[in-house]
Amino acid sequence: MRRLGLWFFLFLVVGVVGLQAVAAGSVSLNVKIDPEARLISGTEELTFTPDGSRVYFILLANLDREVNPYLNDRAIDQVYPDGFDPSWTTVEAVEMVQSDGKVALPFRLLSMPPEFQTYSLKETVLALDLPRSGTEVTLRLRFSTLVPRRAGPDQTENEGVITWRFGWAPLPLLPQSDWSDADGVLRYTGEGTYPLLIPALRYSGTIRVPTGYTLVCGTDYVEPTEGEDEDVYELKNESETRGIAFALSKDYESFSLQMGATTIEVGYLPGHDEEARLFATYARDILREYEARFGPYPRKRLVIAEDPNRDGTSMAADGIIFISSFYFTHRNVTLPGILNRLDEFVLAHEIAHQWWGIGVGVDMNAGNWLSEGLAQYSAVSYFEGKYGATGPNLFPEFGKGVVENFIKSQFGFLNLREHQIELPYILNLERGFDEPLVEPLASVKYENASVVRIYDKGYLVMRDIESYLGGRERFDAALRTAAGRYMHGEMSVEAFERLLGESSSRVLRPLFETWVYGDGTVDYGVKILSRVRTKDGYKTTVTVSRDGGIPRPVVVEAILRDGKTVRRTWDGENLQDTLTFTTQEPVSRVTIDPDHLIPDRDRLNNNAPVKFVVAAKENSFPLDAYLIRPDPVSQGVTISYLDRMQIRIEQGMAAARIAIGRSHYISLSAKLQKGDLDATASYTYLSFSRLETGSPGTFWAPTLSFTVGARRMVTD
């Protein structure tokens, strides 16, 4: 999920421009796919009741008709192995279908504004002027779309597989007064920022493919009919969707599993039979939990399609998820099943989008964190419910053997939430790349950190909301209400906040102002003031503190000498308070927020006394402790904290390196050589510059490193 190419990141947020409120309508597609020519051609019929005299369609493929002028040849070749290959959609004719025949309609081609990218904006919008409004009409568009050949996960022909989620046919934007095109550009004239919504309509259709090819798609019903030269797939949905997503290949094989009224189908490439069965089983378990938590699965089928991209990028659409071949081919690399849990987590994240982001639509311009934050929250809580929340949980239990022992010693410590979510968020803060969750792309200050912000910070804020509301059960109840209320519609950030307020007596406005609309952070700390033995046991007094954040309850845990724990809840109203623990055994350590429920920017001061973790035989990477690594070869020792500080001491030598913020690094060293002292000190400044990427947001990258140093020899 992290290795997003620029074009795919743009597609992630540029999926399609939609309306804040969409009138009911239906779309019927009758197309033929020619895999050799990589061409999709046919008709699209939109039936709806217009409330105005104008209707717009987005021609999504035309956003990639021109090469991104800001990318160099090497970057382009990574996406297009055979050189740049454009995609496009052309509309040959538009007709109004009536009971007494059809009437040809003139149309105009408009541009999109540079709200989401700054190039290839021409002829991306189709505008129609209707002769009447207020009564139901049917519009028929004749169109063709070229599928580009590239190494990406979507809108592509890659290794013989054609994959396209949204917008391979013109995407309708039903009339609304908040839109205008007076200057040949589709403008948003309503309140707030330019919205990015995929409208949910009643989709059905017929797709014809050459005999020998297999079509995999996520519609509720699929009825294939084999012919001599071509096969015909009749497609139908019971409820509104945001399109018909598909994958097409000569090589797809199929496995299906029934879960009640839901059919789970896996379309996979040759040699991956075992993975197909495993993933179907995982999907069944995930669906069962999500239905219990969020309400019924919104479709009749769940399709898992193997996508041949190798970088791990996976994605979701209505009734279908596309899983990278990486998770099929690398599941048993080094050890059998070593990536099983990671595969299961990725499946859980993408399946969660059937409720959040796809089922319940969001504004993917400013509110995409709702989609990714809720999907990440759903997947992590599922994962931790099965494999535990603390300690090593990313890899399965290792057996005994040379390879097993090595992997366990080097990577066995990894914890999904701590090292894949909390750590990137903390490092992002340390480097000064944080900003509000609700931020339209054109206003993003640090687009280079957007994935961390939307996925990781988005999850941590969702987890904080869960704690603030009083626990997972209450939060899940609110999410069930959200799914029932907004399924096949759109949920704004404001509506989400109001809905949460309905389920709790707590005031949510300060939390949203700080963590969602603002760039607030928080640092909790704890110190032991005194330990006193009394006639009844022991009395331990501690100070607890809060820097930033909002007033809210937080747990403080005392760990006794015998390993037992005692917990108190601090109301967090003041910036600093004193708490007292009266126990039968002496207190050995006190920890604030022991379950990591709050997005704390510095966990080193969450323990008193400060924690030290010794990694002698096995690797470790604690977020709340200094790490001590003995080196038996040099008989030295290294003390470090994240990537912020490192001190190394050996016989006759000592060195230190400190990182401050984004750009400042200090290095010191001293060693004895035949009785002389050789000492050095240096300062490094790392400069960041804005790179033009074709996006209206600001993207920063390191461009210059400057170091000044001094060295001195002191004789004995």
Side-chain angles (χ1 to χ4, degrees):
M1 292 182 295
R2 299 191 187 285
R3 298 182 60 188
L4 299 176
L6 171 66
W7 72 270
F8 181 69
F9 175 76
L10 290 174
F11 177 75
L12 179 69
V13 291
V14 179
V16 58
V17 179
L19 304 182
Q20 291 179 324
V22 178
S26 64
V27 175
S28 177
L29 295 161
N30 185 349
V31 301
K32 178 180 180 178
I33 303 177
D34 183 347
E36 295 299 324
R38 296 181 281 119
L39 193 67
I40 307 170
S41 58
T43 63
E44 173 185 40
E45 291 189 359
L46 169 66
T47 301
F48 71 112
T49 302
D51 58 1
S53 60
R54 187 166 297 166
V55 63
Y56 300 102
F57 293 79
I58 299 299
L59 307 181
L60 179 65
N62 289 349
L63 288 169
D64 284 317
R65 187 173 55 183
E66 300 173 14
V67 66
N68 186 341
Y70 303 102
L71 298 185
N72 60 28
D73 292 341
R74 181 178 177 183
I76 292 171
D77 288 344
Q78 288 180 335
V79 177
Y80 301 95
D82 301 323
F84 175 70
D85 193 15
S87 67
W88 47 254
T89 292
T90 61
V91 178
E92 291 88 25
V94 180
E95 303 165 336
M96 178 179 289
V97 181
Q98 304 175 109
S99 58
D100 55 349
K102 55 189 179 182
V103 177
L105 294 180
F107 58 87
R108 295 173 289 118
L109 294 177
L110 312 174
S111 298
M112 291 182 65
E115 298 285 339
F116 316 114
Q117 67 181 48
T118 59
Y119 66 99
S120 193
L121 301 173
K122 295 180 180 179
E123 298 185 356
T124 52
V125 180
L126 176 76
L128 296 174
D129 294 312
L130 302 178
R132 66 173 186 267
S133 63
T135 59
E136 185 177 87
V137 300
T138 297
L139 301 177
R140 179 183 295 156
L141 285 68
R142 299 186 185 277
F143 73 95
S144 298
T145 295
L146 181 69
V147 182
R149 180 177 285 117
R150 58 186 179 189
D154 194 11
Q155 296 182 212
T156 180
E157 190 276 334
N158 185 19
E159 297 186 20
V161 179
I162 292 179
T163 305
W164 204 308
R165 286 193 300 167
F166 308 113
W168 51 268
L171 280 159
L173 305 183
L174 300 188
Q176 190 187 38
S177 58
D178 287 344
W179 299 89
S180 169
D181 67 283
D183 56 354
V185 177
L186 183 66
R187 302 289 184 185
Y188 180 65
T189 57
E191 296 182 2
T193 59
Y194 207 105
L196 247 167
L197 301 168
I198 302 176
L201 303 168
R202 188 66 64 91
Y203 275 87
S204 62
T206 300
I207 297 181
R208 305 186 308 281
V209 303
T211 298
Y213 282 83
T214 299
L215 182 74
V216 177
C217 61
T219 52
D220 288 331
Y221 300 102
V222 179
E223 295 183 9
T225 302
E226 294 183 2
E228 213 171 286
D229 298 321
E230 66 178 18
D231 297 339
V232 180
Y233 289 80
E234 296 286 345
L235 311 174
K236 184 180 178 182
N237 287 300
E238 281 195 352
S239 57
E240 291 79 9
T241 69
R242 303 183 192 277
I244 296 178
F246 71 87
L248 178 71
S249 174
K250 282 184 178 180
D251 301 323
Y252 271 138
E253 300 177 23
S254 179
F255 173 78
S256 63
L257 184 67
Q258 200 68 28
M259 191 200 81
T262 302
T263 302
I264 300 170
E265 297 183 12
V266 184
Y268 61 96
L269 298 174
H272 299 156
D273 306 72
E274 182 181 348
E275 285 73 20
R277 286 159 173 75
L278 179 66
F279 291 175
T281 304
Y282 285 157
R284 180 188 61 192
D285 296 342
I286 294 164
L287 282 177
R288 283 174 176 167
E289 172 163 321
Y290 286 176
E291 286 194 325
R293 295 173 60 188
F294 311 135
Y297 173 63
R299 310 246 63 92
K300 291 295 183 183
R301 299 163 65 236
L302 173 65
V303 176
I304 301 170
E306 180 178 355
D307 186 274
N309 84 82
R310 303 286 177 176
D311 64 2
T313 302
S314 299
M315 54 198 181
D318 287 278
I320 187 170
I321 62 174
F322 301 88
I323 301 298
S324 167
S325 284
F326 172 87
Y327 299 106
F328 289 79
T329 59
H330 286 63
R331 187 175 67 87
N332 297 319
V333 170
T334 66
L335 291 175
I338 191 170
L339 292 188
N340 279 1
R341 294 186 181 181
L342 180 60
D343 291 354
E344 188 174 7
F345 172 72
V346 172
L347 281 167
H349 177 97
E350 299 305 334
I351 291 174
H353 280 306
Q354 300 301 317
W355 280 266
W356 317 119
I358 300 296
V360 175
V362 302
D363 175 9
M364 288 192 290
N365 184 12
N368 196 32
W369 78 278
L370 276 179
S371 171
E372 299 302 345
L374 283 171
Q376 198 81 322
Y377 168 81
S378 305
V380 173
S381 53
Y382 165 82
F383 183 94
E384 292 185 343
K386 190 170 182 178
Y387 300 113
T390 60
N393 66 6
L394 191 56
F395 295 123
E397 294 294 327
F398 295 101
K400 293 184 178 180
V402 175
V403 177
E404 288 87 343
N405 290 340
F406 173 78
I407 293 189
K408 182 180 180 181
S409 67
Q410 295 300 309
F411 307 107
F413 68 91
L414 285 170
N415 177 276
L416 177 74
R417 171 164 48 90
E418 185 174 0
H419 296 106
Q420 301 299 308
I421 298 175
E422 288 183 3
L423 177 60
Y425 169 70
I426 291 172
L427 295 181
N428 202 48
L429 286 179
E430 290 284 350
R431 290 168 173 78
F433 286 134
D434 187 48
E435 58 186 313
L437 284 172
V438 175
E439 198 77 89
L441 184 58
S443 302
V444 169
K445 294 183 294 185
Y446 307 114
E447 191 178 316
N448 47 292
S450 284
V451 172
V452 173
R453 174 173 62 92
I454 293 172
Y455 284 82
D456 300 328
K457 182 179 179 180
Y459 161 78
L460 293 171
V461 170
M462 290 299 179
R463 183 175 167 87
D464 189 36
I465 291 172
E466 173 204 276
S467 173
Y468 194 74
L469 292 178
R472 176 173 143 178
E473 185 175 340
R474 184 168 291 178
F475 190 32
D476 281 356
L479 294 181
R480 279 195 299 275
T481 302
R485 186 178 299 177
Y486 297 108
M487 186 63 67
H488 311 311
E490 283 75 41
M491 179 175 68
S492 66
V493 178
E494 295 78 11
F496 181 59
E497 180 184 352
R498 289 194 300 270
L499 184 145
L500 295 176
E502 295 171 8
S503 63
S504 173
S505 59
R506 301 190 64 86
V507 179
L508 285 150
R509 175 51 27 178
L511 187 150
F512 271 70
E513 286 180 346
T514 300
W515 292 107
V516 177
Y517 301 109
D519 56 359
T521 65
V522 69
D523 178 28
Y524 284 90
V526 62
K527 293 181 180 179
I528 297 177
L529 288 180
S530 64
R531 296 185 179 96
V532 178
R533 184 166 186 173
T534 66
K535 62 179 181 178
D536 297 323
Y538 297 85
K539 181 179 179 182
T540 305
T541 304
V542 303
T543 59
V544 287
S545 61
R546 171 177 61 85
D547 180 17
I550 63 171
R552 48 143 323 135
V554 60
V555 171
V556 183
E557 179 181 77
I559 304 173
L560 308 185
R561 188 169 58 186
D562 61 3
K564 295 179 181 179
T565 60
V566 178
R567 290 192 168 193
R568 294 273 308 275
T569 298
W570 174 42
D571 61 19
E573 293 292 334
N574 300 321
L575 295 180
Q576 183 170 307
D577 271 323
T578 300
L579 300 179
T580 300
F581 289 89
T582 302
T583 58
Q584 296 296 315
E585 291 286 332
V587 172
S588 60
R589 183 178 303 283
V590 180
T591 302
I592 191 168
D593 189 28
D595 300 318
H596 292 200
L597 297 176
I598 300 169
D600 200 322
R601 67 175 181 263
D602 179 9
R603 296 200 174 275
L604 193 59
N605 61 355
N606 285 27
N607 297 281
V610 173
K611 284 176 64 177
F612 289 86
V613 173
V614 179
K617 296 182 179 180
E618 295 184 352
N619 202 359
S620 184
F621 200 80
L623 272 58
D624 61 350
Y626 288 107
L627 179 63
I628 301 177
R629 297 176 186 269
D631 186 351
V633 177
S634 65
Q635 296 186 347
V637 64
T638 300
I639 304 172
S640 62
Y641 176 61
L642 303 182
D643 68 342
R644 301 286 87 188
M645 180 276 289
Q646 185 183 84
I647 299 172
R648 179 158 183 84
I649 303 171
E650 295 179 6
Q651 181 72 28
M653 188 277 284
R657 188 173 189 271
I658 300 170
I660 304 171
R662 180 191 310 158
S663 301
H664 308 285
Y665 299 86
I666 297 172
S667 298
L668 306 168
S669 70
K671 59 182 177 180
L672 294 173
Q673 291 182 327
K674 299 180 181 180
D676 296 339
L677 178 66
D678 184 0
T680 63
S682 68
Y683 164 76
T684 298
Y685 178 78
L686 182 62
S687 172
F688 284 75
S689 299
R690 177 178 178 175
L691 298 186
E692 293 294 339
T693 63
S695 170
T698 305
F699 190 100
W700 297 91
T703 53
L704 176 66
S705 176
F706 174 78
T707 300
V708 58
R711 179 181 180 186
R712 182 172 183 182
M713 297 287 293
V714 180
T715 67
D716 59 358

